[in-house]
Amino acid sequence: MAKLHVGFVSPERELWSGEADMVIAKTVEGEIGILPNHAPVLGVLVEGGVLRVKRDGELDLVAAVHGGFISVADNQVSVLAEVAELGSEVDVAATKDALQRAQASIEADQADADARLEAKRAAARLRAAGEEV
């Protein structure tokens, strides 16, 4: 069976590169699942989304993704994230604290755009780490 070659980068670093069976990402038009031989597509990734890379015989690679693009052509998947963090690298306790602070600000009706953005990003980081949000 054909495989996908996936390259996943952010401005800071290459997060992952390798072979995969499926990639799932959330775009502004909805969630997209990419299998081998997928039609070419270019999608805009949402702020606070989760990217999942399914690999045969291995655990899924999961990452919090905050904006960027996904491009698919000829079994090549390129994920260009504005900001991204692998689920395995998330400091769960610190992220839960950040989410609670942002939610408290939102509930007190004192939230600015930064607090809403922080809440969205913290929730995505926790989902990437396998936590319920």
Side-chain angles (χ1 to χ4, degrees):
M1 182 172 157
K3 295 280 188 178
L4 298 168
H5 181 72
V6 180
F8 179 24
V9 299
S10 73
E12 292 83 30
R13 66 186 173 128
E14 178 181 61
L15 288 120
W16 187 80
S17 179
E19 300 293 316
D21 297 307
M22 183 177 191
V23 176
I24 302 166
K26 189 166 184 183
T27 70
V28 296
E29 294 185 351
E31 195 167 63
I32 184 170
I34 299 156
L35 293 168
N37 302 316
H38 195 286
V41 67
L42 178 63
V44 177
L45 299 170
V46 299
E47 184 70 44
V50 174
L51 176 82
R52 184 174 302 277
V53 179
K54 295 192 169 285
R55 304 171 290 170
D56 190 32
E58 296 183 53
L59 293 175
D60 291 355
L61 177 88
V62 185
V65 178
H66 312 293
F69 300 92
I70 185 166
S71 171
V72 180
D74 299 323
N75 288 332
Q76 301 286 321
V77 179
S78 298
V79 180
L80 311 166
E82 289 178 23
V83 177
E85 185 175 8
L86 296 174
S88 60
E89 298 173 348
V90 172
D91 180 337
V92 173
T95 303
K96 284 182 178 180
D97 288 344
L99 179 59
Q100 287 176 345
R101 284 191 308 275
Q103 287 175 332
S105 179
I106 291 167
E107 289 170 6
D109 203 28
Q110 299 173 349
D112 57 10
D114 289 338
R116 294 183 196 288
L117 178 62
E118 179 56 29
K120 191 178 283 191
R121 287 185 173 187
R125 289 193 307 271
L126 289 170
R127 286 193 313 273
E131 297 289 318
E132 291 291 323
V133 181

